[in-house]
Amino acid sequence: AVVSTQSTGMERLSVDYGKKSKLQFMIYPAPQISTAIVEPYNAVLSTHFTLEHSDCAFMFDNEAIYDICRRNLSIERPTYTNLNRLMGQLVSTITATLRLEGALNV
């Protein structure tokens, strides 16, 4: 259900905003952190749609994000809130030049 919703949404964006750059951010599941057995299946299916309907795809490894929180940010047992905040910072940083005006933004 998640993949079909995502694919329909991306197809719609491709049609409605064909000339705009479409970025997509994906987080690939990790066996140690997985909450559902179908996560790898959903990741493979969503990758297909990502490559078809986005101009630039950023793919992140859930286990690597978890390790960054543990090792670099000294969070002993990262929660989903910690992981989501880190991802929010990443997405915000990557898209800053698209959202803000300035001399460095080309």
Side-chain angles (χ1 to χ4, degrees):
V2 172
V3 173
S4 64
T5 303
Q6 177 188 6
S7 65
T8 305
M10 286 304 292
E11 285 179 61
R12 182 66 188 242
L13 287 173
S14 291
V15 170
D16 292 350
Y17 301 97
K19 293 184 179 189
K20 294 282 185 185
S21 295
K22 290 169 287 307
L23 307 178
Q24 188 161 359
F25 298 86
M26 296 178 56
I27 301 174
Y28 274 80
Q32 292 83 356
I33 308 169
S34 181
T35 57
I37 198 162
V38 296
E39 283 183 7
Y41 174 75
N42 286 340
V44 169
L45 288 178
S46 65
T47 300
H48 172 74
F49 293 110
T50 297
L51 296 175
E52 277 188 25
H53 297 289
S54 63
D55 299 313
C56 186
F58 296 90
M59 299 178 190
F60 300 97
D61 177 26
N62 206 16
E63 189 172 357
I65 297 166
Y66 189 84
D67 286 343
I68 290 170
C69 284
R70 278 192 16 245
R71 293 179 187 162
N72 299 49
L73 302 177
S74 302
I75 301 172
E76 198 170 308
R77 296 181 59 85
T79 63
Y80 284 117
T81 300
N82 300 127
L83 301 174
N84 287 336
R85 286 183 179 160
L86 178 58
M87 286 307 303
Q89 287 292 318
L90 287 167
V91 171
S92 177
T93 301
I94 290 169
T95 61
T97 58
L98 300 171
R99 297 177 288 110
L100 307 171
E101 293 182 20
L104 296 177
N105 301 337
V106 182

XYZ file of all heavy atoms in Angstrom:
832
model
N 0.822 -1.191 0.000
C 0.000 0.000 0.000
C 0.869 1.259 0.000
O 0.558 2.220 -0.662
C -0.935 -0.007 1.189
N 1.962 1.230 0.736
C 2.838 2.398 0.818
C 3.465 2.686 -0.538
O 3.517 3.822 -0.980
C 3.947 2.174 1.885
C 4.959 3.291 1.835
C 3.329 2.053 3.261
N 3.924 1.641 -1.206
C 4.587 1.827 -2.496
C 3.617 2.362 -3.533
O 3.940 3.270 -4.286
C 5.225 0.500 -2.968
C 5.762 0.643 -4.371
C 6.315 0.089 -2.023
N 2.388 1.828 -3.577
C 1.432 2.298 -4.582
C 1.035 3.742 -4.327
O 0.873 4.523 -5.255
C 0.197 1.399 -4.619
O -0.497 1.462 -3.393
N 0.921 4.143 -3.075
C 0.612 5.534 -2.750
C 1.754 6.439 -3.173
O 1.545 7.497 -3.756
C 0.359 5.682 -1.236
O -0.682 4.803 -0.860
C -0.014 7.092 -0.888
N 2.972 6.009 -2.900
C 4.140 6.803 -3.267
C 4.243 6.927 -4.776
O 4.489 8.006 -5.304
C 5.403 6.166 -2.707
C 6.659 6.900 -3.125
C 7.925 6.166 -2.724
O 7.876 5.057 -2.220
N 9.041 6.793 -2.961
N 4.049 5.822 -5.480
C 4.186 5.861 -6.931
C 3.122 6.742 -7.558
O 3.402 7.497 -8.479
C 4.129 4.448 -7.517
O 2.852 3.865 -7.300
N 1.904 6.673 -7.058
C 0.836 7.514 -7.574
C 1.148 8.981 -7.322
O 0.957 9.822 -8.199
C -0.506 7.146 -6.922
O -0.736 5.754 -7.129
C -1.641 7.939 -7.504
N 1.664 9.293 -6.134
C 2.014 10.670 -5.806
C 3.129 11.200 -6.681
O 3.074 12.326 -7.182
N 4.156 10.406 -6.899
C 5.277 10.839 -7.738
C 4.848 10.975 -9.195
O 5.284 11.891 -9.884
C 6.447 9.863 -7.619
C 7.206 9.971 -6.318
S 7.845 11.625 -5.987
C 9.088 11.782 -7.246
N 4.016 10.064 -9.665
C 3.519 10.180 -11.045
C 2.731 11.469 -11.205
O 2.892 12.185 -12.196
C 2.631 8.983 -11.382
C 3.387 7.707 -11.625
C 2.483 6.549 -11.925
O 1.755 6.624 -12.942
O 2.493 5.578 -11.158
N 1.910 11.782 -10.235
C 1.092 12.997 -10.283
C 1.980 14.239 -10.283
O 1.750 15.186 -11.052
C 0.141 13.011 -9.097
C -0.786 14.183 -9.043
C -1.754 14.126 -10.212
N -2.525 15.332 -10.273
C -3.829 15.385 -10.156
N -4.520 14.287 -9.984
N -4.443 16.531 -10.233
N 3.010 14.248 -9.436
C 3.935 15.375 -9.408
C 4.672 15.521 -10.737
O 4.905 16.631 -11.208
C 4.951 15.216 -8.272
C 4.419 15.451 -6.869
C 5.480 15.088 -5.836
C 3.954 16.878 -6.687
N 5.044 14.393 -11.349
C 5.734 14.429 -12.641
C 4.862 15.063 -13.711
O 5.335 15.837 -14.543
C 6.129 13.023 -13.085
O 7.129 12.514 -12.268
N 3.583 14.746 -13.681
C 2.657 15.299 -14.668
C 2.372 16.773 -14.375
O 2.458 17.624 -15.257
C 1.339 14.485 -14.679
C 0.277 15.172 -15.517
C 1.600 13.073 -15.190
N 2.054 17.089 -13.126
C 1.665 18.450 -12.759
C 2.820 19.442 -12.773
O 2.630 20.620 -13.060
C 1.006 18.464 -11.377
C -0.339 17.759 -11.364
O -0.855 17.416 -12.455
O -0.872 17.524 -10.267
N 4.022 18.970 -12.441
C 5.182 19.861 -12.334
C 6.351 19.310 -13.142
O 7.470 19.208 -12.651
C 5.591 20.031 -10.863
C 4.498 20.597 -10.008
C 3.681 19.760 -9.253
C 4.258 21.960 -9.976
C 2.658 20.268 -8.468
C 3.240 22.487 -9.197
C 2.444 21.634 -8.447
O 1.437 22.150 -7.685
N 6.100 18.992 -14.387
C 7.088 18.350 -15.246
C 8.392 19.097 -15.407
O 9.449 18.486 -15.512
N 8.343 20.429 -15.408
C 9.567 21.206 -15.634
C 10.317 21.550 -14.350
O 11.427 22.039 -14.405
C 9.231 22.486 -16.394
C 8.750 22.202 -17.800
C 8.517 23.464 -18.579
C 8.051 23.113 -19.989
N 8.002 24.263 -20.843
N 9.712 21.300 -13.212
C 10.366 21.567 -11.923
C 11.253 20.376 -11.551
O 10.942 19.239 -11.862
C 9.332 21.759 -10.811
C 8.478 22.990 -10.979
C 9.239 24.194 -10.553
C 8.353 25.426 -10.600
N 9.092 26.612 -10.302
N 12.350 20.668 -10.870
C 13.213 19.589 -10.377
C 12.505 18.858 -9.252
O 11.963 19.477 -8.341
C 14.524 20.158 -9.854
O 15.247 20.750 -10.896
N 12.522 17.547 -9.336
C 11.883 16.730 -8.314
C 12.948 15.918 -7.585
O 13.619 15.091 -8.175
C 10.840 15.813 -8.947
C 9.622 16.582 -9.447
C 8.722 15.753 -10.299
C 9.245 15.446 -11.667
N 9.685 16.518 -12.517
N 13.092 16.207 -6.290
C 14.041 15.492 -5.450
C 13.274 14.479 -4.612
O 12.160 14.756 -4.189
C 14.773 16.449 -4.512
C 15.460 17.658 -5.126
C 16.082 18.514 -4.048
C 16.496 17.232 -6.125
N 13.886 13.345 -4.393
C 13.248 12.348 -3.541
C 14.270 11.819 -2.551
O 15.419 11.576 -2.899
C 12.671 11.212 -4.364
C 11.840 10.280 -3.534
C 10.911 9.432 -4.373
O 10.874 9.545 -5.575
N 10.170 8.574 -3.737
N 13.835 11.641 -1.317
C 14.688 11.142 -0.257
C 14.154 9.795 0.203
O 12.970 9.676 0.513
C 14.704 12.129 0.924
C 15.270 13.466 0.542
C 14.458 14.450 -0.008
C 16.611 13.725 0.709
C 14.974 15.676 -0.368
C 17.146 14.964 0.351
C 16.320 15.933 -0.195
N 15.027 8.797 0.206
C 14.618 7.457 0.616
C 15.543 6.965 1.720
O 16.735 7.241 1.703
C 14.711 6.494 -0.569
C 13.778 6.839 -1.695
S 13.957 5.707 -3.073
C 13.660 4.148 -2.296
N 14.974 6.226 2.645
C 15.761 5.603 3.701
C 15.619 4.096 3.537
O 14.518 3.560 3.614
C 15.290 6.049 5.089
C 15.398 7.566 5.217
C 16.080 5.344 6.178
C 14.833 8.132 6.480
N 16.755 3.442 3.284
C 16.732 1.999 3.109
C 16.742 1.301 4.463
O 17.439 1.724 5.382
C 17.923 1.546 2.262
C 17.607 1.638 0.799
C 17.679 2.847 0.132
C 17.192 0.528 0.101
C 17.357 2.946 -1.201
C 16.868 0.614 -1.239
C 16.952 1.822 -1.886
O 16.615 1.908 -3.191
N 15.970 0.245 4.596
C 15.856 -0.448 5.884
C 17.140 -1.179 6.266
O 17.939 -1.544 5.412
C 14.718 -1.440 5.654
C 14.714 -1.676 4.178
C 15.178 -0.391 3.552
N 17.284 -1.381 7.561
C 18.400 -2.156 8.096
C 17.828 -3.302 8.922
O 16.851 -3.109 9.650
C 19.281 -1.278 8.968
N 18.398 -4.485 8.823
C 17.859 -5.644 9.557
C 17.799 -5.429 11.072
O 16.868 -5.880 11.723
C 18.822 -6.775 9.222
C 19.588 -6.331 8.034
C 19.557 -4.837 8.022
N 18.776 -4.723 11.641
C 18.813 -4.528 13.087
C 17.713 -3.583 13.579
O 17.313 -3.645 14.729
C 20.173 -3.957 13.532
C 21.316 -4.912 13.372
C 21.889 -4.920 11.950
O 21.377 -4.264 11.054
N 22.933 -5.696 11.750
N 17.252 -2.695 12.721
C 16.306 -1.667 13.139
C 14.925 -1.886 12.522
O 13.978 -1.205 12.825
C 16.850 -0.271 12.745
C 18.270 -0.099 13.266
C 15.988 0.841 13.303
C 18.977 1.106 12.713
N 14.801 -2.870 11.683
C 13.573 -3.115 10.931
C 12.384 -3.373 11.852
O 12.494 -4.087 12.845
C 13.777 -4.305 9.998
O 12.619 -4.534 9.251
N 11.239 -2.786 11.490
C 10.015 -3.002 12.266
C 9.002 -3.864 11.518
O 8.008 -4.265 12.078
C 9.349 -1.654 12.617
O 9.090 -0.950 11.408
C 10.248 -0.827 13.513
N 9.259 -4.124 10.241
C 8.329 -4.937 9.448
C 9.122 -5.834 8.500
O 10.148 -5.420 7.954
C 7.381 -4.042 8.656
N 8.613 -7.014 8.289
C 9.314 -7.979 7.443
C 9.296 -7.571 5.966
O 10.138 -7.998 5.186
C 8.728 -9.389 7.645
C 9.699 -10.431 7.140
C 7.363 -9.512 7.006
C 9.460 -11.812 7.649
N 8.353 -6.730 5.565
C 8.220 -6.338 4.159
C 9.035 -5.093 3.788
O 8.983 -4.645 2.654
C 6.737 -6.110 3.773
C 5.947 -7.392 3.890
C 6.122 -5.013 4.626
N 9.800 -4.537 4.728
C 10.565 -3.329 4.432
C 11.517 -3.480 3.252
O 11.554 -2.604 2.383
C 11.316 -2.843 5.673
C 10.426 -2.139 6.661
C 11.179 -1.600 7.852
O 12.419 -1.651 7.870
O 10.518 -1.119 8.775
N 12.291 -4.556 3.142
C 13.173 -4.693 1.966
C 12.391 -4.755 0.654
O 12.792 -4.165 -0.347
C 13.923 -6.004 2.217
C 13.843 -6.213 3.680
C 12.534 -5.620 4.115
N 11.270 -5.437 0.653
C 10.414 -5.536 -0.534
C 9.916 -4.148 -0.944
O 9.986 -3.765 -2.108
C 9.240 -6.475 -0.227
C 8.207 -6.557 -1.314
C 8.454 -7.279 -2.479
C 6.978 -5.922 -1.177
C 7.504 -7.358 -3.486
C 6.024 -5.996 -2.169
C 6.291 -6.710 -3.320
O 5.354 -6.779 -4.309
N 9.420 -3.388 0.013
C 8.933 -2.034 -0.277
C 10.055 -1.141 -0.791
O 9.851 -0.316 -1.678
C 8.297 -1.407 0.958
C 6.942 -1.981 1.271
O 6.298 -2.574 0.412
N 6.502 -1.826 2.500
N 11.262 -1.301 -0.241
C 12.405 -0.487 -0.674
C 12.752 -0.754 -2.131
O 12.995 0.172 -2.907
C 13.609 -0.761 0.214
N 12.741 -2.019 -2.527
C 13.051 -2.367 -3.918
C 12.003 -1.807 -4.861
O 12.325 -1.224 -5.903
C 13.176 -3.903 -4.075
C 13.234 -4.294 -5.537
C 14.402 -4.406 -3.344
N 10.736 -1.955 -4.523
C 9.670 -1.430 -5.386
C 9.701 0.091 -5.476
O 9.517 0.657 -6.547
C 8.305 -1.895 -4.876
C 7.994 -3.363 -5.086
C 6.633 -3.697 -4.486
C 8.014 -3.731 -6.552
N 9.930 0.750 -4.355
C 9.932 2.212 -4.389
C 11.138 2.755 -5.143
O 11.064 3.830 -5.735
C 9.870 2.786 -2.976
O 11.018 2.454 -2.259
N 12.240 2.023 -5.157
C 13.418 2.452 -5.916
C 13.088 2.539 -7.401
O 13.484 3.486 -8.076
C 14.597 1.485 -5.697
O 14.911 1.477 -4.314
C 15.812 1.916 -6.483
N 12.343 1.588 -7.905
C 11.940 1.585 -9.315
C 11.180 2.866 -9.652
O 11.481 3.534 -10.633
C 11.079 0.351 -9.600
C 10.456 0.351 -10.941
N 11.178 0.105 -12.095
C 9.186 0.587 -11.341
C 10.365 0.187 -13.136
N 9.157 0.474 -12.704
N 10.204 3.220 -8.822
C 9.413 4.416 -9.076
C 10.236 5.682 -8.888
O 10.050 6.664 -9.589
C 8.174 4.441 -8.177
C 7.200 3.362 -8.507
C 7.009 2.299 -7.652
C 6.491 3.386 -9.693
C 6.125 1.287 -7.960
C 5.601 2.380 -10.016
C 5.419 1.326 -9.139
N 11.158 5.654 -7.941
C 12.024 6.809 -7.701
C 12.841 7.140 -8.932
O 12.942 8.292 -9.343
C 12.965 6.533 -6.513
O 12.187 6.350 -5.344
C 13.942 7.667 -6.302
N 13.434 6.133 -9.515
C 14.287 6.357 -10.682
C 13.489 6.837 -11.887
O 14.006 7.546 -12.735
C 15.063 5.081 -11.012
C 16.044 4.639 -9.922
C 16.675 3.301 -10.285
C 17.104 5.680 -9.677
N 12.242 6.448 -11.977
C 11.403 6.859 -13.103
C 10.867 8.281 -12.978
O 10.718 8.966 -13.978
C 10.207 5.911 -13.246
C 10.519 4.657 -14.010
C 9.263 3.854 -14.299
O 8.163 4.441 -14.344
O 9.403 2.642 -14.461
N 10.555 8.700 -11.760
C 9.784 9.936 -11.600
C 10.487 11.058 -10.852
O 9.877 12.088 -10.587
C 8.449 9.634 -10.922
C 7.577 8.727 -11.723
N 6.957 9.122 -12.874
C 7.259 7.425 -11.564
C 6.281 8.119 -13.376
N 6.449 7.076 -12.601
N 11.733 10.895 -10.491
C 12.430 12.004 -9.833
C 13.700 12.335 -10.595
O 14.259 11.505 -11.288
C 12.749 11.646 -8.374
O 13.619 10.561 -8.304
N 14.112 13.580 -10.471
C 15.327 14.031 -11.151
C 16.579 13.714 -10.344
O 17.652 13.525 -10.897
C 15.252 15.538 -11.409
C 14.073 15.884 -12.306
O 13.909 15.216 -13.331
O 13.319 16.805 -11.954
N 16.431 13.698 -9.045
C 17.578 13.431 -8.177
C 17.083 12.656 -6.959
O 16.140 13.082 -6.292
C 18.217 14.748 -7.753
S 19.724 14.538 -6.819
N 17.691 11.523 -6.702
C 17.284 10.692 -5.569
C 18.423 10.615 -4.562
O 19.571 10.373 -4.930
C 16.911 9.298 -6.048
N 18.092 10.844 -3.312
C 19.045 10.718 -2.215
C 18.641 9.487 -1.427
O 17.530 9.418 -0.906
C 19.012 11.957 -1.316
C 19.452 13.203 -2.010
C 18.530 14.005 -2.676
C 20.780 13.574 -2.004
C 18.930 15.159 -3.324
C 21.192 14.734 -2.648
C 20.265 15.521 -3.310
N 19.537 8.537 -1.356
C 19.231 7.288 -0.665
C 20.125 7.156 0.557
O 21.343 7.281 0.461
C 19.417 6.116 -1.614
C 18.503 6.211 -2.801
S 18.768 4.881 -3.942
C 17.781 5.445 -5.320
N 19.504 6.932 1.692
C 20.210 6.826 2.955
C 20.011 5.439 3.550
O 18.959 4.839 3.398
C 19.696 7.881 3.950
C 19.867 9.287 3.472
C 18.824 9.957 2.853
C 21.071 9.947 3.640
C 18.976 11.261 2.410
C 21.239 11.244 3.197
C 20.183 11.908 2.575
N 21.021 4.973 4.236
C 20.974 3.672 4.900
C 20.561 3.889 6.353
O 21.217 4.626 7.090
C 22.354 3.027 4.804
C 22.436 1.711 5.533
O 21.396 1.041 5.693
O 23.548 1.339 5.950
N 19.482 3.233 6.760
C 18.952 3.413 8.109
C 19.977 3.038 9.175
O 20.096 3.705 10.197
C 17.680 2.578 8.281
C 16.765 3.142 9.329
O 16.900 4.285 9.732
N 15.831 2.334 9.781
N 20.734 1.988 8.929
C 21.744 1.568 9.902
C 22.864 2.604 10.018
O 23.353 2.886 11.116
C 22.327 0.217 9.506
C 23.226 -0.385 10.559
C 23.625 -1.803 10.228
O 23.163 -2.348 9.216
O 24.419 -2.364 11.010
N 23.244 3.221 8.906
C 24.281 4.258 8.939
C 23.792 5.479 9.715
O 24.558 6.083 10.482
C 24.680 4.644 7.525
N 22.534 5.842 9.538
C 21.966 6.973 10.279
C 21.980 6.656 11.774
O 22.331 7.494 12.607
C 20.532 7.272 9.790
C 20.565 7.697 8.323
C 19.875 8.345 10.642
C 19.213 7.687 7.670
N 21.610 5.439 12.102
C 21.629 4.980 13.494
C 23.047 5.063 14.067
O 23.261 5.561 15.177
C 21.097 3.551 13.545
C 20.859 3.009 14.927
C 19.682 3.274 15.606
C 21.809 2.217 15.559
C 19.453 2.773 16.877
C 21.602 1.706 16.819
C 20.417 1.987 17.478
O 20.203 1.497 18.729
N 24.034 4.601 13.287
C 25.436 4.636 13.739
C 25.947 6.063 13.902
O 26.722 6.344 14.823
C 26.333 3.873 12.765
C 26.162 2.371 12.876
O 25.609 1.902 13.898
O 26.556 1.663 11.926
N 25.536 6.974 13.019
C 25.923 8.387 13.160
C 25.408 8.947 14.476
O 26.121 9.655 15.193
C 25.427 9.219 11.955
C 26.224 8.852 10.703
C 25.520 10.711 12.251
C 25.652 9.425 9.426
N 24.161 8.624 14.808
C 23.605 9.087 16.079
C 24.390 8.531 17.258
O 24.679 9.249 18.221
C 22.136 8.685 16.202
S 21.008 9.665 15.225
N 24.750 7.259 17.189
C 25.489 6.626 18.297
C 26.920 7.131 18.395
O 27.360 7.552 19.459
C 25.493 5.104 18.118
C 24.234 4.440 18.608
C 24.310 2.915 18.720
N 25.635 2.361 18.693
C 26.114 1.571 17.724
N 25.362 1.263 16.706
N 27.336 1.090 17.786
N 27.640 7.108 17.289
C 29.076 7.396 17.332
C 29.408 8.888 17.310
O 30.225 9.359 18.082
C 29.772 6.713 16.157
C 29.749 5.215 16.258
C 30.422 4.581 15.073
N 30.235 3.136 15.106
C 30.405 2.356 14.065
N 30.783 2.863 12.901
N 30.214 1.065 14.176
N 28.777 9.621 16.402
C 29.134 11.033 16.221
C 28.362 11.971 17.141
O 28.859 13.039 17.495
C 28.923 11.456 14.775
C 29.787 10.671 13.816
O 29.842 9.449 13.877
N 30.449 11.351 12.914
N 27.126 11.612 17.465
C 26.304 12.488 18.295
C 26.220 12.003 19.737
O 25.519 12.600 20.555
C 24.895 12.610 17.691
C 24.845 13.148 16.259
C 23.411 13.152 15.740
C 25.438 14.541 16.182
N 26.895 10.896 20.038
C 26.964 10.335 21.400
C 25.589 10.058 22.005
O 25.357 10.324 23.188
C 27.764 11.266 22.318
O 29.058 11.455 21.811
N 24.688 9.541 21.185
C 23.374 9.127 21.676
C 23.443 7.611 21.840
O 23.534 6.878 20.852
C 22.255 9.530 20.694
C 22.265 11.036 20.486
C 20.906 9.052 21.210
C 21.334 11.509 19.382
N 23.418 7.146 23.070
C 23.657 5.727 23.349
C 22.618 4.816 22.697
O 22.958 3.800 22.101
C 23.670 5.503 24.861
C 24.320 4.208 25.274
C 24.519 4.145 26.777
O 25.097 5.093 27.334
O 24.095 3.146 27.364
N 21.344 5.159 22.835
C 20.260 4.365 22.236
C 19.346 5.305 21.443
O 18.342 5.784 21.972
C 19.478 3.626 23.313
C 20.318 2.597 24.068
C 19.527 1.849 25.109
N 18.391 1.117 24.597
C 18.447 -0.119 24.080
N 19.597 -0.724 24.009
N 17.364 -0.711 23.658
N 19.687 5.572 20.179
C 18.891 6.506 19.375
C 17.443 6.043 19.208
O 17.174 4.861 18.997
C 19.603 6.504 18.022
C 20.972 6.004 18.294
C 20.844 5.062 19.443
N 16.541 6.990 19.320
C 15.117 6.721 19.119
C 14.736 7.160 17.705
O 15.534 7.787 16.995
C 14.273 7.519 20.130
O 14.475 8.917 19.887
C 14.655 7.177 21.563
N 13.516 6.859 17.310
C 13.042 7.322 16.009
C 13.048 8.845 15.941
O 13.285 9.426 14.888
C 11.643 6.780 15.689
C 11.663 5.336 15.286
C 11.023 4.367 16.039
C 12.331 4.924 14.133
C 11.040 3.039 15.663
C 12.361 3.602 13.751
C 11.713 2.664 14.529
O 11.739 1.346 14.156
N 12.795 9.485 17.066
C 12.839 10.954 17.106
C 14.238 11.450 16.764
O 14.393 12.383 15.969
C 12.407 11.469 18.496
O 11.082 11.024 18.749
C 12.461 12.979 18.565
N 15.260 10.823 17.338
C 16.648 11.205 17.030
C 16.956 11.000 15.550
O 17.557 11.871 14.907
C 17.636 10.388 17.858
C 17.474 10.562 19.341
O 17.342 9.579 20.068
N 17.494 11.795 19.815
N 16.564 9.852 15.012
C 16.813 9.550 13.600
C 16.072 10.538 12.699
O 16.636 11.037 11.719
C 16.384 8.119 13.274
C 17.053 7.000 14.068
C 16.429 5.656 13.734
C 18.546 6.979 13.842
N 14.823 10.833 13.036
C 14.032 11.757 12.222
C 14.589 13.174 12.263
O 14.596 13.881 11.253
C 12.578 11.755 12.680
C 11.861 10.487 12.289
O 12.257 9.807 11.340
N 10.812 10.156 13.010
N 15.071 13.600 13.409
C 15.663 14.945 13.505
C 16.928 15.056 12.668
O 17.164 16.066 12.012
C 15.951 15.293 14.963
C 14.693 15.618 15.727
C 14.986 16.022 17.143
N 13.733 16.342 17.812
C 13.592 16.357 19.120
N 14.630 16.099 19.906
N 12.430 16.652 19.655
N 17.750 14.015 12.693
C 18.955 14.006 11.871
C 18.577 14.065 10.393
O 19.155 14.834 9.619
C 19.804 12.769 12.163
C 21.078 12.613 11.337
C 21.988 13.821 11.510
C 21.798 11.331 11.717
N 17.593 13.280 9.979
C 17.155 13.299 8.580
C 16.566 14.656 8.211
O 16.780 15.154 7.106
C 16.128 12.189 8.318
C 16.736 10.806 8.269
S 18.110 10.664 7.112
C 17.362 11.161 5.588
N 15.836 15.266 9.128
C 15.291 16.599 8.876
C 16.391 17.612 8.617
O 16.287 18.454 7.717
N 17.465 17.529 9.384
C 18.608 18.421 9.182
C 19.272 18.164 7.828
O 19.651 19.104 7.129
C 19.639 18.237 10.302
C 19.210 18.825 11.621
C 19.164 20.337 11.556
O 20.024 20.991 10.991
N 18.117 20.911 12.131
N 19.410 16.903 7.461
C 20.007 16.565 6.167
C 19.181 17.109 5.006
O 19.711 17.745 4.092
C 20.147 15.043 6.029
C 21.225 14.383 6.856
C 21.051 12.872 6.862
C 22.594 14.747 6.318
N 17.889 16.867 5.048
C 17.014 17.329 3.964
C 16.997 18.847 3.906
O 17.072 19.438 2.830
C 15.583 16.755 4.140
C 14.619 17.396 3.158
C 15.590 15.245 3.971
N 16.939 19.491 5.057
C 16.945 20.950 5.104
C 18.228 21.523 4.508
O 18.198 22.491 3.741
C 16.793 21.415 6.553
O 16.865 22.809 6.629
N 19.356 20.912 4.834
C 20.643 21.382 4.318
C 20.742 21.177 2.810
O 21.183 22.062 2.078
C 21.794 20.646 5.031
O 21.687 20.892 6.433
C 23.142 21.116 4.532
N 20.321 20.014 2.346
C 20.411 19.702 0.919
C 19.510 20.615 0.091
O 19.872 21.051 -1.000
C 20.065 18.222 0.665
C 21.179 17.332 1.228
C 19.859 17.937 -0.816
C 20.835 15.847 1.274
N 18.337 20.939 0.611
C 17.376 21.729 -0.167
C 17.468 23.233 0.096
O 16.702 23.998 -0.493
C 15.935 21.262 0.118
O 15.646 21.444 1.514
C 15.737 19.810 -0.283
N 18.387 23.674 0.944
C 18.481 25.099 1.285
C 18.662 25.975 0.050
O 18.047 27.037 -0.062
C 19.615 25.332 2.281
N 19.497 25.547 -0.880
C 19.750 26.382 -2.059
C 18.534 26.470 -2.973
O 18.431 27.414 -3.756
C 20.948 25.840 -2.866
O 20.676 24.501 -3.256
C 22.215 25.894 -2.064
N 17.626 25.530 -2.859
C 16.398 25.588 -3.666
C 15.348 26.494 -3.026
O 14.502 27.048 -3.707
C 15.806 24.182 -3.832
C 16.689 23.153 -4.525
C 16.058 21.776 -4.426
C 16.909 23.538 -5.978
N 15.427 26.632 -1.696
C 14.409 27.377 -0.972
C 14.786 28.813 -0.641
O 13.914 29.659 -0.464
C 14.085 26.666 0.354
C 13.505 25.284 0.174
C 13.252 24.577 1.504
N 14.495 24.153 2.150
C 14.994 24.684 3.262
N 14.381 25.648 3.871
N 16.137 24.243 3.771
N 16.078 29.094 -0.529
C 16.528 30.406 -0.065
C 17.326 31.131 -1.120
O 18.011 30.518 -1.936
C 17.401 30.214 1.188
C 16.782 29.394 2.311
C 17.813 29.087 3.369
C 15.589 30.111 2.899
N 17.244 32.443 -1.103
C 18.019 33.252 -2.036
C 19.314 33.699 -1.362
O 19.380 33.847 -0.158
C 17.225 34.468 -2.459
C 15.999 34.129 -3.300
C 15.253 35.371 -3.754
O 15.866 36.457 -3.756
O 14.087 35.241 -4.109
N 20.347 33.910 -2.164
C 21.606 34.394 -1.616
C 22.720 34.258 -2.623
O 22.573 33.633 -3.674
N 23.858 34.830 -2.285
C 25.002 34.836 -3.209
C 25.539 33.430 -3.467
O 26.033 33.143 -4.552
C 26.123 35.694 -2.625
N 25.461 32.552 -2.492
C 25.976 31.202 -2.660
C 24.994 30.285 -3.394
O 25.376 29.208 -3.837
C 26.314 30.586 -1.297
C 27.431 31.272 -0.525
C 27.607 30.619 0.832
C 28.738 31.203 -1.320
N 23.753 30.690 -3.478
C 22.740 29.854 -4.118
C 22.685 30.138 -5.611
O 22.295 31.199 -6.046
C 21.364 30.114 -3.503
C 21.369 29.819 -2.025
O 22.203 29.054 -1.548
N 20.454 30.421 -1.303
N 23.102 29.178 -6.375
C 23.153 29.355 -7.834
C 21.999 28.643 -8.475
O 21.599 27.594 -8.116
C 24.487 28.792 -8.389
C 24.567 29.012 -9.883
C 25.644 29.441 -7.687
